[in-house]
Amino acid sequence: MSEALLRASCLTHVYSAGTPFEKAAVADVSFEIGDNEFIGVIGHTGSGKSTLIQSLNGLLKPSSGQIFYQGQDIWKKGFSQRELRFRVGLVFQYPEYQLFEETVEKDIAFGPKNMGLSEEEIRQRVEEAMYFVGLPDRFRTRSPFELSGGQKRRAAIAGIMAMRPKVLILDEPTAGLDPRGCHEILSRIREYQQTEKITVILVSHSMEDICANAQKVMVLHQAHLVMFAPTEEVFARAGELSEMGLSVPQITRVFLTLSQKGYDLSSVFSVARAADEILRKAGRPQ
Ligand SMILES: Nc1ncnc2c1ncn2[C@@H]1O[C@H](COP(=O)(O)OP(=O)(O)OP(=O)(O)O)[C@@H](O)[C@H]1O
Ligand SMILES: [Mg+2]
């Protein structure tokens, strides 16, 4: 039997254990993620999304339960956590937490340098990563702290991309970016995921971003994993999502309302799919 790329088994994370502030941010969560998948993670604020993904690359140690990377327990003695950080790259929810060097160039080079790559390889990776995220070359020598919110975000993504991780985890990567920049970066990441056959885990409050990119969606609710299924299946359960304080894409809502009014329409979550569905219903060739 082939092992999953990432596996969580009964993962629980309790903050401030043993104090009056004790809080289970992730409770008894189990799942498997394979190669070349694009996973969306949604959930109300405080549902445990950031805690969960920070457990996946060993940044947070679970209170109980296990994480396996390619079948290896990441907390077992002898497992290289250092290697894991290179393979499972995490872009933080707040890019300020990630940027700390004097220049953008040094910041992006930090990961590749730690990996022990040659100067030439590092230079090339920095250049490629900046191009990938759309940061012009003139930013190379700037301090990351002088950048705008959107540029900081791009620099933080570039620093992780430069390690060429096998799993790329993005925690709300588009906050701070304008809608066009956001769409552009996500579609580049999606393209990269498909060509390089990496796995992407995207945490987002934007149902539109999730629907446009994710093949499968995890729904966290009050620390529990309550759904993990193909995107269509998750958004077809709009009623349950809305009870958890989550929205569905606007087009999905329109279609659900039409179905409730008696129209025989399948659930859709993109405008393109909606158009196909209407044409099908109208009996016209698509
Ligand atoms: N360092 C911490 N110490 C104590 N409690 C924490 C800590 N970090 C998070 N929590 C609590 O754990 C729960 C889950 O937080 P987490 O940040 O994982 O949620 P989230 O789903 O990422 O939320 P958001 O959508 O706002 O980013 C919340 O109740 C939060 O207040
Ligand atoms: Mg979060």
Side-chain angles (χ1 to χ4, degrees):
M1 194 187 84
S2 70
E3 272 288 350
L5 181 61
L6 270 174
R7 181 158 72 88
S9 170
C10 306
L11 182 71
T12 296
H13 191 93
V14 180
Y15 286 113
S16 315
T19 78
F21 304 104
E22 181 166 310
K23 161 115 200 166
V26 172
D28 200 22
V29 166
S30 300
F31 59 80
E32 281 187 6
I33 292 176
D35 285 296
N36 196 18
E37 292 194 313
F38 200 122
I39 311 285
V41 181
I42 61 174
H44 201 266
T45 181
S47 57
K49 305 180 294 298
S50 295
T51 306
L52 173 68
I53 57 159
Q54 286 174 50
S55 309
L56 298 182
N57 78 340
L59 213 60
L60 290 178
K61 188 170 185 185
S63 309
S64 62
Q66 287 151 301
I67 302 282
F68 298 88
Y69 178 75
Q70 291 182 328
Q72 307 282 318
D73 182 337
I74 70 168
W75 287 99
K76 209 171 149 192
K77 211 166 155 245
F79 182 86
S80 170
Q81 290 258 340
R82 202 176 111 84
E83 282 294 308
L84 183 71
R85 304 274 162 84
F86 303 146
R87 305 220 180 265
V88 183
L90 169 64
V91 181
F92 283 87
Q93 183 162 9
Y94 306 100
E96 289 76 8
Y97 293 179
Q98 197 138 13
L99 305 168
F100 54 90
E101 289 278 5
E102 297 148 44
T103 64
V104 168
E105 181 177 32
K106 280 191 185 168
D107 236 314
I108 301 173
F110 183 80
K113 218 169 164 173
N114 270 330
M115 292 169 82
L117 302 176
S118 71
E119 288 291 320
E120 177 51 26
E121 175 78 19
I122 295 172
R123 200 194 51 74
Q124 200 179 331
R125 286 198 181 197
V126 170
E127 193 178 310
E128 273 177 29
M130 286 184 72
Y131 180 77
F132 184 87
V133 299
L135 267 184
D137 192 58
R138 63 175 189 281
F139 285 101
R140 245 178 348 106
T141 50
R142 299 238 181 119
S143 158
F145 303 99
E146 289 166 19
L147 306 181
S148 72
Q151 288 158 352
K152 275 186 191 145
R153 177 73 64 188
R154 287 172 199 266
I157 297 175
I160 299 300
M161 292 302 292
M163 295 194 293
R164 302 201 184 137
K166 180 126 186 63
V167 182
L168 172 65
I169 309 180
L170 302 152
D171 197 353
E172 293 283 350
T174 53
L177 285 169
D178 60 283
R180 226 184 83 205
C182 154
H183 177 73
E184 198 183 279
I185 258 189
L186 279 181
S187 49
R188 267 192 207 173
I189 287 171
R190 173 96 168 104
E191 209 179 283
Y192 182 86
Q193 177 256 334
Q194 287 173 337
T195 54
E196 300 300 318
K197 312 232 178 300
I198 66 161
T199 287
V200 175
I201 303 175
L202 168 69
V203 176
S204 180
H205 278 112
S206 161
M207 300 304 161
E208 268 75 15
D209 287 348
I210 293 283
C211 286
N213 296 293
Q215 297 150 337
K216 286 177 84 179
V217 175
M218 279 189 192
V219 184
L220 286 178
H221 181 58
Q222 294 172 355
H224 293 273
L225 179 63
V226 292
M227 294 185 205
F228 185 27
T231 309
E232 301 94 320
E233 284 176 33
V234 168
F235 286 105
R237 294 164 70 179
E240 287 167 71
L241 292 177
S242 123
E243 276 168 24
M244 291 181 246
L246 297 171
S247 61
V248 298
Q250 212 169 19
I251 190 69
T252 309
R253 257 198 323 270
V254 170
F255 265 55
L256 285 169
T257 312
L258 288 170
S259 304
Q260 281 156 11
K261 289 192 189 297
Y263 290 92
D264 168 31
L265 291 165
S266 312
S267 165
V268 297
F269 53 88
S270 77
V271 174
R273 286 278 298 272
D276 288 347
E277 180 64 8
I278 289 171
L279 289 173
R280 181 192 69 79
K281 190 74 194 131
R284 292 221 220 112
Q286 290 168 33

